[in-house]
Amino acid sequence: MKSCAKCLIPETAEATTFDDTGTCSVCNQIEFKEEKVDWADRGRQLDDLVAQFKDKGLYDCIVPFSGGKDSTYQLWYIVTQLKMKPLVVRFDHGFYRQTLEENNKRTFKILGVDVVQFTPSWHVVRELMLESLKRRGDF
Ligand SMILES: [Zn+2]
């Protein structure tokens, strides 16, 4: 079985590809992130964006929120670190678990944010799921 030349992850790992040198996509991504991205410049670009929109209206930005770790971290960072006032926007497809809904409510309460939730009709959700399945093989 083939495995990564650097981290030994096996070729059977889900969504992992290997380059010509036998290095996995995860190792290549880490190397890119650490060596090719100018994080200080990215920080300045973010500061410029924040200055451009902060305290200019009722809300400073819109945060799409699923309740997963990425959107939760993003919301936490915007509120607690950047001190911005976001409007949180959610799309409820009807498949969220009860524990996720409870975690989201707790997150919104702790961070003190306004939330708009859009819940389309089941017919629309079905059509979107079918279209996603056709286009991407996954809904
Ligand atoms: Zn690797």
Side-chain angles (χ1 to χ4, degrees):
M1 179 189 312
K2 193 163 119 183
S3 59
C4 176
K6 291 183 179 175
C7 73
L8 304 179
I9 193 171
E11 65 182 337
T12 54
E14 188 176 342
T16 303
T17 57
F18 290 82
D19 67 13
D20 296 339
T21 67
T23 304
C24 78
S25 51
V26 175
C27 285
N28 281 329
Q29 195 174 29
I30 290 168
E31 186 178 311
F32 179 83
K33 193 174 116 184
E34 290 175 350
E35 296 174 11
K36 306 278 190 219
V37 177
D38 182 346
W39 291 106
D41 183 55
R42 293 287 181 93
R44 286 188 293 274
Q45 289 179 38
L46 180 59
D47 290 343
D48 289 347
L49 273 174
V50 170
Q52 191 178 342
F53 295 102
K54 190 173 180 180
D55 299 326
K56 300 290 194 290
L58 187 56
Y59 299 101
D60 300 327
C61 60
I62 294 173
V63 177
F65 190 89
S66 67
K69 64 185 183 312
D70 295 335
S71 61
T72 301
Y73 177 77
Q74 176 183 311
L75 183 60
W76 171 85
Y77 190 83
I78 285 170
V79 171
T80 66
Q81 305 302 296
L82 300 178
K83 310 293 184 198
M84 295 179 84
K85 184 179 179 190
L87 174 61
V88 178
V89 178
R90 298 194 68 221
F91 178 86
D92 183 359
H93 46 54
F95 295 105
Y96 290 125
R97 293 183 311 264
Q98 188 59 37
T99 52
L100 180 78
E101 296 293 353
E102 291 163 8
N103 288 340
N104 289 346
K105 279 184 186 166
R106 193 169 53 245
T107 298
F108 300 149
K109 189 180 275 186
I110 289 170
L111 294 176
V113 294
D114 293 345
V115 181
V116 172
Q117 180 161 306
F118 176 67
T119 306
S121 84
W122 175 240
H123 301 290
V124 171
V125 172
R126 269 187 7 199
E127 290 298 315
L128 288 171
M129 288 173 65
L130 181 60
E131 193 60 32
S132 294
L133 186 62
K134 287 177 184 172
R135 291 187 191 190
R136 303 188 54 196
D138 184 359
F139 51 77

